[in-house]
Amino acid sequence: MSEVARALSERGELVLRRRAGDGALELRVNGVFVMDDRETSSEELLALVALRGSPSRLLVGGLGLGYTVRTLLADDGVREVVVAEIEPELVQWMRDGLVPSVLDDPRVSVVVGDVRDAVGLEQPGSLDGILLDVDNGPDFLVYDENAAIYESSFLALCKEKLRADGVLTVWSSSESSALETAVRAVFGRCEVRPVPVELQGRDETYYVYQASS
Ligand SMILES: C[S@@+](CC[C@H](N)C(=O)[O-])C[C@H]1O[C@@H](n2cnc3c(N)ncnc32)[C@H](O)[C@@H]1O
């Protein structure tokens, strides 16, 4: 294991490291595995689901290693992607080239801060999609403050900022009936997509929750 970068923020310790065995780049927060660059299918699916509505303007929270944003940018119909990322160091690491960058694309703008504030600043009906992948999901939080992101009052704010037929997608590392219920309460329906993944030799399932306004 070799360390690529380390930073201390208000929320704790952020580490970017390269694994010895498979050479994967791995992001950890407060010692907890967040993601790597080997198994990125669920981060990409989060975007692919949102792209089905031919969106033009989307908001993504958070940046991570950039796979969700990169998948959106591969679609020529996408004109603007606002990315909310709470950790300034992570944005800087990408700007410095420690992580392959998605920030050079002129369609991308970064808001360094909480995705709840970034969504709050948007005009009603101004977004075609909101994609939320800021934590491990409601049941395995890295940051306790993120619990509110999976609750109905914030989901209702998201709905207000989406245009008619705009899409909400939410990533979770585990199946959560509370999240499904909250999405359904706000949007009237919720599709749950299990994504089988292989994590360093282990079979796991991640989940993408999806609803339209
Ligand atoms: C799992 S990663 C996102 C992975 C991303 N989908 C990708 O494709 O690489 C979660 C990211 O959300 C950020 N984050 C955590 N809480 C946040 C919040 N409340 N607002 C904005 N970003 C947040 C973390 O710093 C981290 O970069």
Side-chain angles (χ1 to χ4, degrees), residues 130-146:
I130 298 178
L131 296 77
L132 301 174
D133 181 9
V134 290
D135 213 299
N136 279 332
D139 300 325
F140 296 97
L141 293 172
V142 177
Y143 303 112
D144 290 343
E145 315 82 80
N146 279 342

Side-chain angles (χ1 to χ4, degrees), residues 78-135:
V78 170
R79 310 309 313 159
E80 188 181 350
V81 179
V82 179
V83 186
E85 170 53 51
I86 208 160
E87 298 289 0
E89 298 289 354
L90 194 53
V91 175
Q92 194 56 47
W93 292 344
M94 195 173 269
R95 292 202 195 286
D96 291 344
L98 299 182
V99 177
S101 186
V102 293
L103 304 179
D104 301 333
D105 191 305
R107 294 173 291 170
V108 177
S109 59
V110 181
V111 178
V112 176
D114 195 308
V115 67
R116 288 175 291 174
D117 298 330
V119 170
L121 289 171
E122 292 289 333
Q123 293 299 314
S126 62
L127 291 162
D128 301 309
I130 298 178
L131 296 77
L132 301 174
D133 181 9
V134 290
D135 213 299

